[in-house]
Amino acid sequence: MKTGSALAPLVRANLGFFLSRKTRGASSHLPRRPVSLPADFFGVCVASSEDPACDDYVVARLKDLGLRCVRVDYAYDSPGRFGERFVERLVQEGYQVALHLVATRQEMEALPRTKGADRWRQFLRDTFARFGGRVEFFEIGSTVNRRRWSGFTLPLYLLAWDIAWDEAQSRQLVLAGPNVTDFEPFYNTTFLDEMRQRCRLPAIHTDNLFVERATEPETFDQKILGPIFAPWLKFNTLRKASMLGAIGRWAGVERSFSTHVSWSLRRIRRVLEAAEEQQADYVARYCCLMASSGGFDRVYWGPLIGQREGLIDDGTTFFPEVFHVMFYGRANGKVADYRMRPAFHAFKTVNHFLAGTTFTRRIDTIGALEMYEFESSTNTIHVVWCRNGACAAAAACYLPAALNAAEVHDRDGSQLSCAPELFTQSPVYLSWKKTTPIELQARPGALVNVRLSSSRVVDYALVEQAEWRGLAVKRVEEMPVDIAALLPGQFAPMDATGVNVLRNKRNRVWAVPAPWDANRKIVVKHFRPARGLRGWLQRCKPNKALRSWNGAHELLRRGIPTPRPIGWLEHPRTPRDAECYYLCEAFEGGSSARHAFYAFNRGDKEFLGIPSAELYPAIASLLVKLHGRGVFFRDLSAGNLLLRRADTGKIEFALIDTARARIGVKSLSVRKRLADLMRLCHPLAWDGREQLLRAYFVAAKIRCSPWMRLAFHYYDWKHRIKKVFRGRRMKTAV
């Protein structure tokens, strides 16, 4: 918008809304009332290509999804091309088509001129004549709050809207708008208020309610006045949707649609590894939150087919210059290369279970656990999940009778033989007949301070005994595991014959055969309770076994290699004041970076068959990924970085001793990066350091300034002083 022309309407509209009673119904970050969802609550944005087989493919996938509502972007050049053919096919198939009429930025900027206005008017006339009365509605406007994308200002949009209004009214057509993108309610109020002043309100208020700038759907948005105020303002998905719906009703528009929303794999990959699985979790969780908000009457996911955001992978690396939210006019790639992502099945499942139901309540929970209840004509449905990386014991949420009576489906719609022992970040659907009593525990909640990475390779179960509590693996790949064999007293102690002792100091570490496979090893780490000053400083922290478990799972979530966690065990009553255990798979057939550095310092050209010119860039790449994904390891000694040459010839790494790691969601500062690097490089001679650091800073795209060398000189000096004092203490003891 131009500041001068839009400031007065913006102030007037927003004061009008925020001082009205309508805001009272949009002030909560939790759902407050039942919401009846129509059978067509969910829709999807679709497009085709020059290949008629793409039309067939899209229609087939829509049938798989069970959807009848589709949104199609239609531009000046669509008539006579595949766009017109595709819309015609959808109409003939009986789909409820929302036709989104889009002009380029240049065409919108030319609207004040006679030629530009005539071109827009003629496009509307031709489109209305062809599809008027055959599609559900026409949407006018595209990301109107992004001038550099769409070319719209408030005056330009109102001009385009007036022309569309005049042409549509004579044909009694349904118009929707203005298509604000993301959560920027000041624009919604301003545009709708101006349309109301002209007595030309849309029949449907539209917004693209993206929330991917938050790290997950449930998070309070920290980009609204920053992280300090986020917990106070509480702008999460529910509150955003509720407020946007209230803005529509305040202006006099009873229906609000979110007409395009997606979650980019590229954004997920900035922090997390299993991007497609994470995207599928977000699809299900976002749709459940939107369904319970009461703010929107329909939610369109989009695009159906796309490289970064699509429910279906188009098999290309191409990403259009014009974002799909602005104009999704074409499905790229070849039909033969299309692949349904997990998000496709997640969206199909959420539509199957929630469309046409009534949201009845959000169950009061503790911590990161989310439980939402819906009712269909015959069933009561609970959708249960935890926030990213958290988990909850099913037995701590429901009484056994309720779990045994439930029909359970996972996020992708597969029926499970029974309820899972742990609820994770991947939603689960539990369904009961309406006549079945559902008995909940008094206060369902997530496990406190426990992290868990999602994996289809392993399953974990809760350990609750008189002497031990924690989590332990119950399945590895296709092999069931006897959890009892993982308890202290069942595996071989450190002093047993033939046990490989790895460390015997304050903490003891040894390797034993894996209970499920005698040819594999697991590592047992036994931690004694901290005493004295150390114990006092750690009094508010989880014990070291749990910190090791959490650190390892957070690394795995971010795609950083570490031995797979097998179990964490602590005393149920005094977890900080008693011994505890952490078990993980052994990293066999390798050595540590420390031994590699010593070998290179001696002049060796290779270590384990790996030349230094290959090893240094590989280590640098791993550390850039570690730091870029928000991990400040804090104990990155060369001995804690294990490596080996795999049968494939690839270098494999594993980070161990994860208890001190601090995990965030943002790339680390240079200071924290240097704190890790100086520890790692300490055993390495300066020639090797130069090669490793040069590879690191090039890969991280950070300019290496001369002052950064001071950190490494400081660390060397610090260790020399420590050696001197250690030597004096030993002489005194003698």
Side-chain angles (χ1 to χ4, degrees):
M1 294 184 190
K2 293 180 181 179
T3 304
S5 62
L7 183 58
L10 185 146
V11 172
R12 180 184 67 245
N14 284 281
L15 284 177
F17 170 70
F18 286 102
L19 295 178
S20 74
R21 289 181 297 175
K22 297 286 186 179
T23 59
R24 296 176 186 174
S27 59
S28 177
H29 64 287
L30 298 174
R32 295 297 191 190
R33 57 187 177 84
V35 179
S36 295
L37 304 176
D40 58 1
F41 182 77
F42 295 108
V44 67
C45 300
V46 295
S48 188
S49 67
E50 292 83 357
D51 184 2
C54 191
D55 295 5
D56 299 333
Y57 181 87
V58 172
V59 170
R61 299 292 77 76
L62 289 173
K63 291 178 180 178
D64 289 343
L65 290 170
L67 296 174
R68 302 304 301 171
C69 298
V70 296
R71 179 177 181 260
V72 182
D73 287 8
Y74 198 78
Y76 281 13
D77 61 352
S78 295
R81 299 178 67 245
F82 66 86
E84 185 176 22
R85 180 200 73 209
F86 181 53
V87 175
E88 193 65 46
R89 170 70 182 277
L90 294 172
V91 170
Q92 291 176 1
E93 292 278 349
Y95 289 97
Q96 296 173 233
V97 178
L99 207 56
H100 180 211
L101 305 185
V102 184
T104 66
R105 173 180 174 176
Q106 292 75 18
E107 288 161 344
M108 282 296 98
E109 289 175 342
L111 202 60
R113 297 189 288 272
T114 302
K115 187 176 180 180
D118 289 344
R119 181 168 166 77
W120 171 245
R121 187 181 297 275
Q122 190 59 49
F123 168 64
L124 293 171
R125 285 176 175 174
D126 294 343
T127 306
F128 289 165
R130 180 65 187 268
F131 296 111
R134 305 173 65 204
V135 301
E136 185 181 12
F137 64 87
F138 296 89
E139 186 176 15
I140 308 298
S142 185
T143 62
V144 293
N145 52 327
R146 297 288 185 271
R147 183 178 180 181
R148 61 189 177 90
W149 297 354
S150 63
F152 278 120
T153 62
L154 177 60
L156 274 182
Y157 178 74
L158 294 175
L159 178 56
W161 178 260
D162 286 342
I163 296 173
W165 176 273
D166 291 338
E167 296 298 329
Q169 286 304 296
S170 61
R171 297 173 174 82
Q172 297 183 333
L173 303 179
V174 178
L175 292 186
N179 191 264
V180 176
T181 203
D182 217 325
F183 179 70
E184 296 180 6
F186 301 114
Y187 288 96
N188 298 77
T189 54
T190 304
F191 279 83
L192 289 177
D193 187 56
E194 286 297 300
M195 296 155 86
R196 179 173 61 178
Q197 297 294 327
R198 288 168 161 75
C199 298
R200 295 188 168 194
L201 278 170
I204 301 166
H205 163 222
T206 63
D207 185 284
N208 308 315
L209 185 54
F210 283 79
V211 294
E212 65 174 357
R213 66 184 187 180
T215 54
E216 51 188 321
E218 307 82 9
T219 303
F220 298 138
D221 193 342
Q222 296 187 3
K223 294 190 176 181
I224 302 176
L225 298 183
I228 295 177
F229 292 99
W232 295 356
L233 297 174
K234 293 181 168 49
F235 273 106
N236 58 3
T237 300
L238 285 161
R239 187 171 187 184
K240 290 177 179 180
S242 179
M243 177 170 285
L244 291 174
I247 289 173
R249 293 188 294 273
W250 163 80
V253 184
E254 291 302 318
R255 292 193 295 167
S256 293
F257 289 2
S258 178
T259 47
H260 186 115
V261 65
S262 61
W263 211 297
S264 171
L265 293 170
R266 181 185 180 188
R267 188 180 290 263
I268 294 172
R269 288 192 183 106
R270 293 176 185 175
V271 178
L272 303 173
E273 181 70 10
E276 290 196 355
E277 291 293 328
Q278 197 76 40
Q279 181 192 48
D281 291 343
Y282 288 164
V283 167
R285 288 154 57 179
Y286 174 89
C287 288
C288 181
L289 294 172
M290 291 289 280
S292 63
S293 70
F296 286 97
D297 299 274
R298 187 177 300 166
V299 174
Y300 291 86
W301 198 269
L304 176 65
I305 302 170
Q307 179 251 331
R308 287 186 189 172
E309 307 106 334
L311 301 176
I312 298 172
D313 182 7
D314 64 13
T316 74
T317 58
F318 172 78
F319 191 77
E321 292 183 7
V322 178
F323 297 143
H324 284 142
V325 65
M326 164 65 191
F327 180 60
Y328 175 46
R330 187 180 189 279
N332 297 308
K334 300 178 181 179
V335 172
D337 297 329
Y338 291 169
R339 175 183 62 88
M340 288 182 284
R341 289 182 168 131
F344 180 92
H345 304 289
F347 192 51
K348 173 182 177 179
T349 305
V350 78
N351 177 62
H352 170 75
F353 278 103
L354 301 191
T357 65
T358 297
F359 166 73
T360 52
R361 61 170 175 156
R362 177 188 181 275
I363 297 169
D364 188 25
T365 59
I366 301 173
L369 178 65
E370 302 282 346
M371 301 175 69
Y372 290 78
E373 184 178 87
F374 298 81
E375 286 190 357
S376 68
S377 58
T378 58
N379 291 77
T380 300
I381 302 161
H382 284 191
V383 190
V384 185
W385 74 88
C386 291
R387 297 270 298 274
N388 284 358
C391 60
C397 302
Y398 297 93
L399 293 179
L403 291 175
N404 294 334
E407 183 179 288
V408 187
H409 292 78
D410 67 12
R411 179 201 66 194
D412 298 337
S414 299
Q415 185 169 353
L416 306 179
S417 58
C418 61
E421 290 195 39
L422 294 174
F423 295 127
T424 66
Q425 66 181 48
S426 187
V428 174
Y429 301 85
L430 294 90
S431 179
W432 299 267
K433 295 294 183 183
K434 270 191 172 181
T435 55
T436 304
I438 304 170
E439 296 180 291
L440 298 166
Q441 296 288 5
R443 288 295 302 278
L447 297 179
V448 180
N449 294 328
V450 178
R451 309 299 291 168
L452 192 69
S453 59
S454 297
S455 173
R456 296 184 180 272
V457 178
V458 296
D459 287 332
Y460 295 97
L462 198 66
V463 176
E464 289 186 305
Q465 296 191 351
E467 295 183 356
W468 301 106
R469 74 174 179 190
L471 289 175
V473 68
K474 71 170 186 177
R475 177 186 67 87
V476 177
E477 296 167 351
E478 300 303 322
M479 295 291 295
V481 179
D482 180 11
I483 293 180
L486 298 173
L487 299 179
Q490 299 300 314
F491 50 75
M494 190 179 73
D495 54 1
T497 304
V499 166
N500 181 17
V501 178
L502 304 175
R503 183 181 179 89
N504 187 12
K505 293 186 178 180
R506 184 177 70 251
N507 303 319
R508 303 189 296 174
V509 185
W510 68 98
V512 298
W516 65 91
D517 187 348
N519 295 320
R520 299 166 71 172
K521 299 287 186 182
I522 63 173
V523 173
V524 179
K525 296 187 177 183
H526 173 221
F527 301 103
R528 297 185 179 95
R531 303 297 184 191
L533 179 61
R534 185 186 298 270
W536 185 83
L537 292 174
Q538 296 180 3
R539 68 193 185 282
C540 297
K541 295 181 180 179
N543 59 55
K544 203 165 184 180
L546 179 52
R547 298 204 307 269
S548 299
W549 168 276
N550 288 343
H553 278 287
E554 287 293 354
L555 290 182
L556 292 175
R557 291 183 64 232
R558 285 157 174 77
I560 308 301
T562 189
R564 179 184 295 151
I566 298 300
W568 137 69
L569 300 164
E570 65 184 19
H571 194 277
R573 292 180 296 279
T574 56
R576 294 184 182 88
D577 299 326
E579 61 182 356
C580 55
Y581 290 84
Y582 171 63
L583 288 71
C584 66
E585 288 189 344
F587 187 80
E588 299 183 87
S591 186
S592 70
R594 177 182 287 119
H595 293 106
F597 293 167
Y598 288 160
F600 295 145
N601 291 345
R602 293 192 303 266
D604 295 353
K605 301 298 182 183
E606 294 184 347
F607 180 77
L608 298 180
I610 307 169
S612 61
E614 182 183 356
L615 181 59
Y616 291 148
I619 293 176
S621 178
L622 171 67
L623 299 183
V624 168
K625 184 177 182 180
L626 177 84
H627 294 154
R629 292 187 170 177
V631 180
F632 181 25
F633 201 76
R634 299 180 69 238
D635 196 12
L636 192 60
S637 66
N640 286 341
L641 176 58
L642 307 183
L643 59 97
R644 66 189 175 196
R645 174 77 85 175
D647 295 337
T648 59
K650 182 181 178 183
I651 304 174
E652 295 181 341
F653 295 101
L655 283 166
I656 60 173
D657 285 354
T658 58
R660 295 184 65 193
R662 290 181 180 172
I663 312 296
V665 295
K666 293 184 179 180
S667 178
L668 294 192
S669 66
V670 172
R671 184 186 65 81
K672 291 181 178 179
R673 291 171 186 257
L674 290 175
D676 270 352
L677 289 170
M678 65 187 186
R679 286 176 177 269
L680 178 72
C681 292
H682 175 66
L684 189 58
W686 268 103
D687 288 344
R689 289 186 190 183
E690 294 285 359
Q691 296 179 55
L692 176 55
L693 294 175
R694 188 182 306 115
Y696 177 88
F697 286 112
V698 168
K701 299 179 181 179
I702 296 174
R703 180 176 175 272
C704 184
S705 302
W707 68 266
M708 295 179 183
R709 297 171 64 95
L710 295 176
F712 300 89
H713 288 297
Y714 156 76
Y715 200 75
D716 291 345
W717 173 81
K718 176 181 173 182
H719 273 263
R720 291 192 194 102
I721 298 298
K722 279 187 174 181
K723 283 185 178 180
V724 171
F725 279 98
R726 190 180 298 121
R728 290 180 178 177
R729 284 198 301 269
M730 291 178 66
K731 288 181 180 179
T732 303
V734 172

